[in-house]
Amino acid sequence: MEPIIRVTDLGKKYIIRHSRRSRYETLRDTLASRAKRLLAMADAPKREEFWALRDISFEVRPGDKLGIIGRNGAGKTTLLKILSRITEPSEGRAEICGRVASLLEVGTGFHPELTGRENIFLNGAILGMRHREIVRKFDEIVAFAEVEQFLDTPVKRYSSGMYVRLAFAVAAHLEPEILLIDEVLAVGDAEFQKKCLGKMGEVAGQGRTILFVSHNMGAIANLCPRTIWLEKGEIAFAGSSHEAITKYIARGAEAQGEAVWTDVETAPGNENVRLKAVRIKSAGGVTADVLIDREIEIEIDYWNLKPGQSLYTGVQVRDKLNSIVFVSVNWPSANLSRDEWAGKPLPKGLFRSTCRIPANFFNNESFSIDVGITNARDEWQDINGNGVISFVVHETGEMKKEYAKGWAGVIRPKLAWSTNLLNEDG
Amino acid sequence: MSSPKESLLVIEAGSGRRQFLKDLWEYRELFLFLSWRDILVRYKQAVLGVLWSVLRPLLTIVIFTLVFGRLAKLPSQGVPYAILVFAAMLPWQLFASSLSESSNSLLGNANLISKIYFPRLIIPVSSIMASLLDFLISLALLLGLTAWYHCLPDGRILFVPIFLLLALLLALGCGFWFSALNVKYRDFRYIVPFIVQFGLYISPVGFSSGIIPGRWRLLYSLNPLAGIIDGFRWSLLRGRAEVYWPGFWLSLLLVLLIFVSGLIYFRRTERYFADII
């Protein structure tokens, strides 16, 4: 059978300019730097090439279900973006034979002012459905989302759960030949996730071709017989899902929001202390995908190898530009709660420090975590714990009921506000 | 979902340019939906939605009539001064609001652009549809006003669509330029309100372009809106406002130049939009 997707030597290059911090430029800065260069006051900004994807080749046959796994930043989303034509490749080519629908996010284009009914039509059109196709499936979509009574309510009044259900329901009723799905099942409550997975399985059963990116190894294993594992923009392994997942997890991947070192001899650290595991926990489970309105716990397991020494544990959270967002250490004066082992002489053994970050704190971005352990004399232990684990904060719409667009900043704390009338009529 | 084996889609560097026209047709429904969304949201968000879009130009017309007509006593070419201003306010308001909307349209839809493929051109074009609706409402109002003043337009009104098209092409041309530049240079957005504010005074909105001395007329027509506004006055005021033809051809040329160059610039930069937006 002819392949439905054929990808040959695909690559995508980004140019990173070190002179600037943000992705976009301002005219003012550009003019200023051009003027400076004209006057030979500054060197040309350093440009560095960064290959988000390189030498990617694979084929997909009609009806195949292909899983794509890899760490955050391995190029999974970039690959889907190229295949769905959102961005162009820098080299290589892809041939696709059939109608493609991509689902990189649920609820793309939802407008808070519009009603559920209006948003179904709008979102359907955005995802590439024809008008009559939406009309035909309208009732089915509404039933799947369980929002019958609220069809004529603006979605800004929806709870975040209803919002996500409606958004996924529209997407789940797409009928393209090829469906590209990014990590979209990480939203909604557990029951709804199950329902979504069931729907996906059903779609898969209808002979559609699916490319499925996920951190949820269980979902990948259930849905896709074959999987590609991407590592730093290249294919690290392609083959049966079982084999791909086993290899991927064996590499200490943070697939489940967890980095584990089983061997005390080779784990990061020194003769005094070694890391055993770093974990992101949220909504009751270990995950690299956390919801913005849930509390996050960072668990750090370490072996204390030197009896009697006192240790403090700390984390540094970095944004995707690798700038430090904050540092937190369990020094008593920097601790909201009480840590009974912090700074106390420790017996030899395995310890677990947990740092709790409140809900509604981060913005919906990706973050990485550095782990450090220091002794009471302020000597940082030689742990290579930089970027040991990373996580992505996902939007739920909880704080977006009035203002639905993207919020600036790497954090988005929910703070207390009040306004008082001081003097009427000035 | 007609035939399962549609034509082969090839994705490689620069491939977006070849499928352009086919894609535009393919995504025509999305265009309609986005226009519909913008109009719906606009009239939902403000309780006074429709009223406000009409009230603002009306107030400007009143003020211009008082200042230029009553105080400065500028010539009105034999029609009530308010009508003279209104006929010019139609294309001006259309241009100004289309330009403001389309310039911000790409950034305003950044989410769509980074998550979904569609011809990016749809965004700035659909964003001006709400302004077009406002224009039609205002046009109806003007007709009412001319009936009140007993100076209803004659057959020349049939030429309005031509001048309307020119005004739209100009707004779109500028919109293509500014929306694309806005993606790359985020401080470009500060320039648009300035153009809109400045343009109102240098364009013949509050006065007739007939008061410009003859030897400056051609130079004045370097503002392409001058020719368009003259055209509107000519077709709505029974030809009483003369069209200065050399200036009109110059305006036409400039409009086409801005539109085509804007389209080319937009098409050349659009494939980076998703990467930098």
Side-chain angles (χ1 to χ4, degrees):
Chain A
M1 209 173 358
E2 275 293 292
I4 193 166
I5 302 175
R6 181 186 282 137
V7 174
T8 333
D9 300 327
L10 205 65
K12 173 80 183 174
K13 176 176 70 176
Y14 288 98
I15 308 280
I16 306 169
R17 267 175 237 176
H18 288 290
S19 62
R20 59 190 165 94
R21 285 250 2 239
S22 54
R23 283 183 295 176
Y24 49 83
E25 303 162 49
T26 65
L27 185 63
R28 194 188 56 200
D29 292 349
T30 307
L31 290 179
S33 77
R34 289 237 171 112
K36 269 188 195 160
R37 259 185 288 154
L38 259 173
L39 299 170
M41 282 158 61
D43 301 328
K46 265 191 203 156
R47 287 159 142 248
E48 193 185 309
E49 288 183 357
F50 164 69
W51 286 89
L53 274 184
R54 193 107 208 230
D55 299 331
I56 302 291
S57 302
F58 62 88
E59 286 184 358
V60 182
R61 279 166 208 294
D64 272 2
K65 280 86 196 152
L66 181 68
I68 300 170
I69 56 176
R71 291 163 184 261
N72 292 324
K76 306 182 300 281
T77 303
T78 307
L79 178 60
L80 291 196
K81 281 192 172 178
I82 292 175
L83 292 180
S84 51
R85 292 200 286 163
I86 293 165
T87 182
E88 278 191 358
S90 313
E91 60 173 36
R93 62 193 262 141
E95 293 160 25
I96 298 180
C97 196
R99 207 174 84 155
V100 180
S102 59
L103 200 51
L104 300 190
E105 181 190 64
V106 290
T108 305
F110 260 45
H111 199 291
E113 293 286 342
L114 301 183
T115 66
R117 184 190 305 277
E118 287 159 350
N119 268 310
I120 290 178
F121 279 94
L122 182 66
N123 191 238
I126 285 170
L127 293 174
M129 279 163 137
R130 294 265 172 257
H131 185 258
R132 55 171 193 281
E133 199 178 335
I134 308 172
V135 171
R136 185 159 49 83
K137 295 199 187 129
F138 188 82
D139 293 336
E140 219 180 308
I141 292 173
V142 174
F144 187 86
E146 303 160 23
V147 293
E148 288 91 342
Q149 314 91 293
F150 306 101
L151 261 186
D152 295 305
T153 311
V155 295
K156 66 177 174 187
R157 304 227 174 82
Y158 279 30
S159 71
S160 56
M162 276 160 67
Y163 185 94
V164 166
R165 285 208 304 272
L166 183 64
F168 189 87
V170 180
H173 289 80
L174 278 171
E175 280 185 351
E177 282 113 36
I178 303 166
L179 190 55
L180 310 176
I181 308 174
D182 203 348
E183 187 74 84
V184 288
L185 297 177
V187 291
D189 51 48
E191 198 182 328
F192 188 68
Q193 282 193 26
K194 216 187 264 172
K195 192 168 165 183
C196 291
L197 275 173
K199 181 76 192 172
M200 300 252 312
E202 197 182 298
V203 170
Q206 288 161 3
R208 249 179 274 289
T209 310
I210 296 182
L211 264 64
F212 181 40
V213 165
S214 185
H215 283 118
N216 182 341
M217 295 301 135
I220 292 261
N222 271 332
L223 215 58
C224 312
R226 276 206 314 141
T227 291
I228 287 178
W229 164 22
L230 289 181
E231 183 80 31
K232 292 188 178 131
E234 291 173 23
I235 295 182
F237 177 82
S240 82
S241 291
H242 180 73
E243 211 173 330
I245 292 169
T246 319
K247 288 197 159 141
Y248 174 55
I249 293 193
R251 276 279 289 267
E254 20 95 318
Q256 313 283 337
E258 181 173 46
V260 184
W261 296 270
T262 42
D263 187 357
V264 72
E265 299 294 314
T266 58
N270 57 17
E271 67 284 359
N272 295 335
V273 58
R274 282 191 193 277
L275 271 184
K276 181 176 190 299
V278 181
R279 234 170 262 118
I280 306 288
K281 280 174 125 179
S282 188
V286 177
T287 175
D289 295 276
V290 304
L291 300 183
I292 200 160
D293 55 357
R294 298 291 171 84
E295 190 182 80
I296 301 167
E297 287 183 1
I298 305 172
E299 272 183 9
I300 301 153
D301 295 359
Y302 59 92
W303 288 288
N304 175 38
L305 305 173
K306 190 175 158 193
Q309 70 172 342
S310 322
L311 293 175
Y312 296 103
T313 320
V315 289
Q316 268 179 177
V317 177
R318 294 174 186 267
D319 65 11
K320 59 186 173 192
L321 296 168
N322 220 28
S323 311
I324 295 172
V325 179
F326 68 80
V327 178
S328 181
V329 183
N330 64 348
W331 290 309
S333 65
N335 191 348
L336 260 185
S337 127
R338 232 176 56 82
D339 190 329
E340 56 178 314
W341 283 109
K344 300 275 158 47
L346 305 180
K348 197 173 171 193
L350 184 61
F351 290 86
R352 169 173 297 169
S353 296
T354 306
C355 172
R356 276 188 199 81
I357 302 169
N360 293 316
F361 178 82
F362 291 111
N363 207 343
N364 55 325
E365 299 245 0
S366 46
F367 297 91
S368 67
I369 291 176
D370 305 344
V371 172
I373 294 178
T374 176
N375 64 19
R377 292 189 307 281
D378 198 22
E379 288 163 356
W380 285 92
Q381 302 297 310
D382 196 14
I383 288 179
N384 186 11
N386 282 358
V388 282
I389 196 164
S390 53
F391 62 97
V392 181
V393 178
H394 292 274
E395 185 56 63
T396 61
E398 181 62 26
M399 280 167 68
K400 287 197 168 179
K401 289 175 185 161
E402 297 82 14
Y403 179 76
K405 293 180 187 165
W407 291 41
V410 290
I411 64 170
R412 191 208 289 174
K414 193 172 198 167
L415 304 176
W417 274 86
S418 63
T419 303
N420 295 310
L421 174 64
L422 297 182
N423 194 352
E424 211 160 339
D425 292 332
Chain B
M1 290 291 293
S2 43
S3 62
K5 286 288 165 283
E6 282 161 60
S7 55
L8 183 75
L9 173 70
V10 177
I11 298 169
E12 54 192 351
S15 62
R17 264 165 283 176
R18 288 194 288 275
Q19 287 131 355
F20 178 59
L21 283 177
K22 194 181 144 220
D23 276 356
L24 269 188
W25 177 245
E26 192 82 358
Y27 283 85
R28 61 193 183 278
E29 275 193 7
L30 181 61
F31 167 76
L32 292 177
F33 269 110
L34 288 179
S35 312
W36 169 76
R37 177 194 70 176
D38 286 350
I39 290 171
L40 213 60
V41 168
R42 173 117 156 227
Y43 290 122
K44 256 185 196 185
Q45 257 167 352
V47 183
L48 296 172
V50 191
L51 203 61
W52 178 239
S53 63
V54 174
L55 210 59
R56 227 172 17 159
L58 274 184
L59 285 175
T60 321
I61 290 165
V62 170
I63 287 167
F64 276 16
T65 308
L66 287 178
V67 172
F68 292 110
R70 288 287 155 79
L71 293 179
K73 299 221 173 9
L74 294 179
S76 73
Q77 313 206 296
V79 291
Y81 208 87
I83 303 273
L84 183 83
V85 176
F86 205 153
M89 194 51 104
L90 284 177
W92 167 257
Q93 195 60 37
L94 176 68
F95 171 78
S97 66
S98 303
L99 178 61
S100 314
E101 294 290 334
S102 57
S103 305
N104 284 323
S105 60
L106 286 176
L107 286 187
N109 288 290
N111 198 25
L112 279 190
I113 289 172
S114 59
K115 302 289 185 199
I116 299 282
Y117 171 78
F118 55 89
R120 308 312 188 194
L121 211 55
I122 284 182
I123 293 273
V125 181
S126 70
S127 74
I128 68 168
M129 288 300 139
S131 309
L132 192 60
L133 187 68
D134 287 349
F135 171 85
L136 294 177
I137 295 171
S138 296
L139 183 64
L141 221 64
L142 173 70
L143 293 181
L145 204 66
T146 51
W148 170 267
Y149 278 112
H150 299 292
C151 56
L152 272 168
D154 56 13
R156 292 186 183 90
I157 195 173
L158 294 176
F159 287 92
V160 163
I162 296 176
F163 299 114
L164 171 62
L165 182 69
L166 284 184
L168 286 176
L169 287 183
L170 180 64
L172 274 178
C174 297
F176 291 157
W177 271 109
F178 288 128
S179 56
L181 284 167
N182 244 334
V183 173
K184 186 140 195 237
Y185 305 107
R186 295 300 160 98
D187 51 355
F188 228 91
R189 68 183 109 174
Y190 303 116
I191 294 175
V192 175
F194 175 74
I195 291 178
V196 169
Q197 200 182 17
F198 199 61
L200 179 59
Y201 294 104
I202 60 164
S203 303
V205 178
F207 49 85
S208 153
S209 56
I211 66 167
I212 308 286
R215 60 199 163 112
W216 297 111
R217 244 353 241 286
L218 199 62
L219 187 70
Y220 187 67
S221 303
L222 278 176
N223 172 4
L225 271 169
I228 294 172
I229 289 174
D230 281 356
F232 264 87
R233 283 203 173 120
W234 175 79
S235 50
L236 287 170
L237 307 181
R238 303 168 164 233
R240 252 176 271 181
E242 289 285 321
V243 174
Y244 173 63
W245 288 105
F248 177 76
W249 296 123
L250 182 61
S251 291
L252 181 67
L253 192 72
L254 283 169
V255 168
L256 292 179
L257 194 72
I258 291 172
F259 180 77
V260 172
S261 64
L263 190 61
I264 292 171
Y265 181 73
F266 191 93
R267 297 276 301 126
R268 272 187 26 198
T269 48
E270 69 174 344
R271 53 203 167 110
Y272 306 116
F273 287 168
D275 296 336
I276 57 176
I277 205 158

